[in-house]
Structures are given as structure tokens and as C-alpha cells.
Amino acid sequence: MATWFISRHPGAKAWAAEQGLHIDQHLAHLDTALIQYGDTVIGTLPVHLAAAVCSQGARYFNLSLDLPADWRGRELSAYELRQCQARLECFEIQMIPASFAEALP
């Protein structure tokens, strides 16, 4: 069982190191074919990739932030991530079959 940290941002990687997280693999982009049952994936993934991680029996921890609107689109340092209340939140995500989505207005 491996722990994966998925981020292309140096500040996020520095923040994870400050937290003392045990990380086996760091990748800028996730290839879900690498994930195995029982793995842990940490990052900020698009929902379809997070759902793929969960469907493979791995745990997904989102790196969540309370980000001010004017900070969007720029690189954040580990210090700025702490200012944004950076935290890991565990999510279990699954895709809903198309028949359910067709019921939407």
C-alpha cells in the first residue's frame, strides 16, 4: 500500500513535508492505472479522477483550502497554504450511472 501525493505546486509539496506526511510517490499528474487497492492518494484532483481512485479501492484525501478569490491562479507558498487553513479531508466519491443523471432537469 502506497501513499501518493499528487500536485504540480512546490508550495503544496513543501506544506506536505512540514506536516510530516509519509509519502511514497510524488507526481505532478495522476495516472490512475498506477493506483492499487489500499493505496492512499492525496491532492486536489478533478472529480472524475477522484472517483476513479475510490473505485479502485484506494482512499482519497483532498488538500482543501479556504482560498480568497484574489489568490486564485497563482502559486502559493507553504506559509500561504497555512493562511488558507490547508487541511486534508477524506472523501469517498463515486460516479452515478447515466440513468440517474438523465433524471436531472
Side-chain angles (χ1 to χ4, degrees):
M1 292 184 269
T3 299
W4 301 79
F5 188 78
I6 313 301
S7 181
R8 61 181 177 81
H9 302 288
K13 190 174 178 182
W15 177 87
E18 288 178 359
Q19 304 309 303
L21 299 177
H22 169 79
I23 296 170
D24 297 303
Q25 294 286 330
H26 173 259
L27 298 174
H29 298 281
L30 177 63
D31 176 355
T32 57
L34 299 173
I35 304 304
Q36 297 182 15
Y37 184 89
D39 283 356
T40 297
V41 177
I42 301 168
T44 305
L45 299 180
V47 69
H48 70 288
L49 292 181
V53 164
C54 294
S55 74
Q56 291 170 228
R59 296 186 310 159
Y60 173 59
F61 287 85
N62 192 69
L63 174 53
S64 300
L65 307 171
D66 298 328
L67 189 67
D70 60 331
W71 284 22
R72 291 185 54 85
R74 68 180 183 98
E75 289 294 326
L76 301 176
S77 67
Y79 172 76
E80 290 169 319
L81 287 170
R82 287 192 308 277
Q83 287 183 302
C84 293
Q85 314 305 310
R87 61 202 175 274
L88 297 180
E89 298 179 312
C90 188
F91 286 88
E92 187 172 319
I93 301 169
Q94 67 180 19
M95 185 175 67
I96 305 295
S99 60
F100 289 108
E102 291 169 359
L104 294 174

